[in-house]
């Protein structure tokens, strides 16, 4: 077990308990030897990552709160769009998904990352996996490609023009299950695509997306004021 | 430096970087040897705490999950978050929350900036989570010194900026206790006003501050004390 695994395991245990944990409870929850826990707690306390409060209970300390603030700051997009996802899922009943194209750093998007999602209301619904996936033909990828820099070298599929004109992309997946998804862009202050919001569900429920799903999605996206 | 410190330094550097760094940038930012850093990044990658795309190290889903869960732990935090947002909104300047870390041996503990909401103006005071400013002459630092009754003569050299005259400092700390707020002016072009948050026992647990450029804050107390005072009074500490 790496040093990283041990120290993060302790923070994870504390994150799961809002009343704080005693050393004995952490030992049980983390499944690590008592002596290991003892020195890790002492290290973490020295680093102000945890603090010792009432009734000998440990809870996250100032350095942990600073880490949270850092993550929230970099995830300002996540925070701003969380309510949008929830609104979209509530009004459409389908899963809504937030993706960003990370590799913008070296020019053009090559990978998209699913960074957040909100659950729909149906018993059968898509449960996305958070994390990277290659830029492909799915609706979110189409959005990134369509609204990306028009000067981008290489061939551009004709239907990306349609995506740009209409403001949203659609994809029908038939390989595994019949899944239909539509996606629309969220622009930053400079007019670049900051993220894509996708609504996805079984094709049987996603027949007339233009008149059912798209109005709900576009209404929710219009409420995003400042990303 | 122990293993936990190295791991957490790397995690903090990744979380606070403006753009996802490559390994050499991370090594420079953390001061770790490239081989040590590579091992830690690889461990973190295996745990889902980072994701490596095109050689760049991104914060991973496990890190997002950990910090999201932790931020949900405390209702105090969400209450204070709302207060910071209000302060930033109404003052037009940056609002920030600082706490002090533990003290191992009775010496002066460290002060941390743990949360903040930045002004929307283009020239503004920047909030850097995890920043550990000196106690003197920062406004939140003065609040802690005043309320914890730490005399100027006991302040270690690292905790203060020069010039520093203990007699004048003690007089100002007494004023801060009497007024309920502390002001700092002309710190690298920044002025600020800070007030303490007290728990039910009257112990100071945090300092909340409004900070902005000198030009917009000629008289921090006259401009912002009423706003800061009413905000602090509305915070219910449990």
């Amino acid at each position: 077990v790496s040093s990283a695994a041990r120290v993060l395991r302790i923070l994870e245990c504390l994150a799961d308990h809002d009343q704080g944990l005693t050393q004995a409870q952490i030992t049980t929850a983390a499944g690590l030897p008592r002596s290991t826990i003892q020195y890790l707690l002492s290290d973490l306390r020295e680093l102000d990552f945890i603090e010792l409060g009432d009734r000998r209970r440990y809870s996250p300390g100032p350095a942990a709160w600073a880490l949270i603030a850092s993550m929230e700051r970099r995830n300002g997009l996540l925070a701003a769009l969380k309510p949008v996802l929830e609104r979209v899922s509530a009004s459409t009943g389908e899963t809504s998904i937030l993706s960003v194209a990370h590799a913008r750093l070296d020019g053009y998007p090559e990978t998209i990352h699913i960074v957040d999602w909100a659950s729909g209301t149906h018993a059968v619904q898509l449960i996305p996996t958070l994390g990277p996936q290659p830029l492909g033909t799915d609706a979110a990828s189409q959005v990134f490609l369509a609204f990306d820099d028009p000067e981008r070298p290489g061939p551009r599929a004709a239907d990306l023009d349609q995506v740009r004109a209409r403001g949203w992309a659609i994809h029908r997946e038939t390989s595994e299950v019949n899944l239909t998804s539509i996606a629309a862009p969220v622009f930053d202050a400079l007019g670049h695509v900051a993220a894509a919001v996708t609504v996805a569900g079984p094709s049987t429920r996603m027949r007339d997306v233009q008149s059912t799903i798209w109005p709900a999605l576009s209404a929710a996206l219009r409420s995003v004021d400042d990303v | 430096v122990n293993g936990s410190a190295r791991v957490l330094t790397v995690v903090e550097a990744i979380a606070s970087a403006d753009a996802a760094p490559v390994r050499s940038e991370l090594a420079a930012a953390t001061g770790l040897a490239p081989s040590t850093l590579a091992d830690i990044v690889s461990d973190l990658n295996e745990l889902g705490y980072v994701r490596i795309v095109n050689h760049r190290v991104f914060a991973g889903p496990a890190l997002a999950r950990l910090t999201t869960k932790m931020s949900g732990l405390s209702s105090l935090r969400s209450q204070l978050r709302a207060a910071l947002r209000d302060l930033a909104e109404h003052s037009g300047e940056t609002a920030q929350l600082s706490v002090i870390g533990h003290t191992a041996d009775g010496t002066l503990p460290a002060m941390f900036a743990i949360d903040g909401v930045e002004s929307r103006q283009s020239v503004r005071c920047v909030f850097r989570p995890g920043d550990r400013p000196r106690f003197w002459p920062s406004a939140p630092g003065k609040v802690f010194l005043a309320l914890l009754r730490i005399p100027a003569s006991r302040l270690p050299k690292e905790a203060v900026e020069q010039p520093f005259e203990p007699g004048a400092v003690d007089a100002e700390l007494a004023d801060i206790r009497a007024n309920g707020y502390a002001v700092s002016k002309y710190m690298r072009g920044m002025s600020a006003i800070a007030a303490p948050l007290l728990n039910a026992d009257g112990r100071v647990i945090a300092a909340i501050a409004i900070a902005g450029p000198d030009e917009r804050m000629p008289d921090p107390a006259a401009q912002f004390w009423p706003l800061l005072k009413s905000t602090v009074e509305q915070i219910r500490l449990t």
Side-chain angles (χ1 to χ4, degrees):
Chain A
V1 186
S2 67
S3 172
R6 286 196 298 256
V7 68
L8 293 166
R9 182 86 195 91
I10 292 192
L11 293 178
E12 286 167 359
C13 291
L14 291 177
D16 280 332
H17 294 86
D18 60 358
Q19 303 296 315
L21 292 173
T22 63
Q23 183 171 331
Q25 290 169 324
I26 295 170
T27 308
T28 312
L32 293 169
R34 192 138 56 118
S35 56
T36 307
I37 295 287
Q38 191 154 0
Y39 80 71
L40 286 174
L41 289 178
S42 141
D43 285 354
L44 281 167
R45 202 164 162 232
E46 198 64 43
L47 297 163
D48 281 315
F49 256 89
I50 59 173
E51 55 193 14
L52 187 55
D54 297 342
R55 293 172 294 139
R56 313 285 307 159
R57 281 167 186 271
Y58 289 94
S59 56
W65 297 119
L67 179 67
I68 295 166
S70 294
M71 285 295 288
E72 286 178 352
R73 206 157 86 114
R74 70 177 298 119
N75 292 340
L77 187 72
L78 278 182
L81 291 174
K82 185 87 193 167
V84 172
L85 294 182
E86 281 162 1
R87 205 169 317 141
V88 170
S89 288
S91 58
T92 62
E94 303 295 347
T95 308
S96 63
I97 302 161
L98 181 66
S99 327
V100 296
H102 265 326
R104 269 193 177 287
L105 285 163
D106 31 333
Y108 300 105
E110 281 176 336
T111 311
I112 64 172
H113 282 239
I114 294 182
V115 291
D116 201 4
W117 60 283
S119 166
T121 54
H122 296 282
V124 174
Q125 57 172 289
L126 173 69
I127 306 295
T129 309
L130 293 176
Q133 52 178 268
L135 198 68
T137 56
D138 59 284
S141 293
Q142 288 181 48
V143 162
F144 287 113
L145 290 170
F147 293 93
D148 192 26
D149 183 3
E151 303 296 310
R152 177 182 185 153
R156 299 176 73 91
D159 52 3
L160 292 184
D161 290 333
Q162 196 193 348
V163 170
R164 231 179 355 263
R166 184 169 64 188
W168 52 276
I170 184 163
H171 181 68
R172 292 189 193 279
E173 175 82 54
T174 49
S175 57
E176 236 178 285
V177 284
N178 286 326
L179 195 69
T180 294
S181 52
I182 80 165
V186 178
F187 295 102
D188 65 18
L190 299 172
H192 296 131
V193 186
V197 176
T198 304
V199 182
S203 298
T204 47
R205 291 202 302 257
M206 300 270 289
R207 285 216 178 91
D208 189 11
V209 290
Q210 173 136 29
S211 60
T212 56
I213 308 292
W214 170 238
L217 178 57
S218 70
L221 288 178
R222 271 197 305 273
S223 69
V224 185
D225 48 15
D226 194 8
V227 174
Chain B
V1 187
N2 60 42
S4 308
R6 281 194 291 262
V7 169
L8 294 170
T9 307
V10 174
V11 170
E12 283 173 330
I14 292 163
S16 60
D18 284 332
V22 295
R23 286 185 188 79
S24 59
E25 290 166 340
L26 265 183
T30 57
L32 293 173
S35 60
T36 310
L37 179 93
D39 289 345
I40 292 175
V41 168
S42 137
D43 290 340
L44 290 172
N45 186 34
E46 209 158 285
L47 296 165
Y49 271 81
V50 304
R51 283 289 174 251
I52 300 164
V53 181
N54 292 337
H55 306 292
R56 291 194 176 270
V57 186
F58 292 87
L63 178 55
R65 198 159 50 231
L66 174 70
T67 53
T68 307
K69 271 192 192 170
M70 284 203 291
S71 90
L73 287 186
S74 146
S75 63
L76 174 64
R77 189 185 145 78
S78 51
Q79 195 187 352
L80 291 177
R81 175 35 83 94
L84 291 174
R85 209 177 291 125
D86 283 354
L87 278 179
E89 185 75 23
H90 291 117
S91 66
E93 301 296 349
T94 297
Q96 137 170 348
L97 182 75
S98 307
V99 299
I100 45 178
H102 94 291
T103 164
D105 48 5
T107 55
L108 193 65
M111 176 168 64
F112 285 80
I114 61 162
D115 205 359
V117 174
E118 286 188 8
S119 157
R120 285 168 181 264
Q121 313 204 54
S122 58
V123 175
R124 61 180 182 243
C125 175
V126 179
F127 162 64
R128 291 198 187 82
D131 227 11
R132 300 177 193 208
R134 294 173 192 216
F135 277 82
W136 189 273
S138 86
K142 288 177 179 177
V143 164
F144 288 122
L145 295 179
L147 278 91
L148 296 171
R149 295 183 176 272
I150 300 172
S153 56
R154 263 190 52 205
L155 286 174
K157 227 175 24 228
E158 324 70 82
V160 301
E161 257 174 48
Q162 300 300 334
F164 186 75
E165 291 166 39
V169 168
D170 283 337
E172 187 174 338
L173 294 181
D175 285 348
I176 291 167
R177 281 191 291 270
N179 294 336
Y181 63 84
V183 163
S184 69
K185 298 210 68 180
Y186 314 123
M187 273 183 77
R188 293 175 221 90
M190 184 183 83
S191 293
I193 178 168
L197 292 178
L198 306 176
N199 70 4
D201 309 331
R203 202 163 52 87
V204 58
I205 58 161
I208 196 159
I210 299 173
D214 287 334
E215 294 77 13
R216 288 202 302 262
M217 292 184 68
D219 188 349
Q223 292 172 274
F224 297 126
W225 174 231
L227 170 66
L228 187 57
K229 184 168 190 268
S230 75
T231 305
V232 168
E233 283 169 355
Q234 280 163 29
I235 296 169
R236 294 272 160 269
L237 297 174
T238 48

